[in-house]
Amino acid sequence: FWLDGPLKVNAYDQLSLMRRLYEHKLPFQTSHLATVQELIALDDDSLSGKTGSQFKDGGFKMGWFVGHLKSGDKQYVFVTNIKGKDASGKKAKAISKNILAKMGLYKG
């Protein structure tokens, strides 16, 4: 609905939402925000996120990975959006991990 439909969400919108989620600045109970954080947690204690993919005309066209990273005493939110042939959320996630590792923020 937001990839092809009338709802337009861009990377900046997603980044703002993730920042407010992890800063507990959304208009919801703290326990509900914690539940959402748990639901998007990956199998790594330092990195969490959610993938998304646009599948159209028989192939992947767009991939997203929005996430949160704890590194030392700092926290980061990020959004990776890729477009093109065979772009998918899985590829966006791999790209994100690679970039974060090259920045020295993620050990994997």
Side-chain angles (χ1 to χ4, degrees):
F1 64 92
W2 58 271
L3 292 172
D4 286 324
L7 180 61
K8 300 298 178 193
V9 177
N10 63 42
Y12 295 107
D13 296 330
Q14 289 195 349
L15 188 62
S16 175
L17 176 67
M18 292 298 286
R19 180 185 52 77
R20 290 182 294 144
L21 170 66
Y22 282 93
E23 290 178 352
H24 297 273
K25 292 185 177 177
L26 291 172
F28 303 103
Q29 292 178 9
T30 301
S31 62
H32 295 169
L33 297 175
T35 299
V36 172
Q37 291 173 9
E38 287 176 28
L39 290 172
I40 63 173
L42 301 175
D43 49 17
D44 183 312
D45 288 339
S46 66
L47 181 70
S48 61
K50 177 71 179 96
T51 60
S53 299
Q54 179 187 40
F55 190 81
K56 189 175 182 180
D57 301 326
F60 288 107
K61 304 296 180 194
M62 182 187 308
W64 286 87
F65 184 58
V66 298
H68 171 263
L69 174 72
K70 291 185 283 185
S71 180
D73 62 347
K74 295 187 179 186
Q75 297 189 54
Y76 304 88
V77 293
F78 59 89
V79 175
T80 302
N81 173 242
I82 58 173
K83 296 179 182 179
K85 184 181 178 197
D86 298 324
S88 68
K90 184 176 180 178
K91 284 187 179 181
K93 179 179 169 182
I95 290 168
S96 298
K97 286 181 166 185
N98 187 30
I99 291 169
L100 293 167
K102 284 183 178 183
M103 293 174 68
L105 299 173
Y106 179 65
K107 309 269 187 281

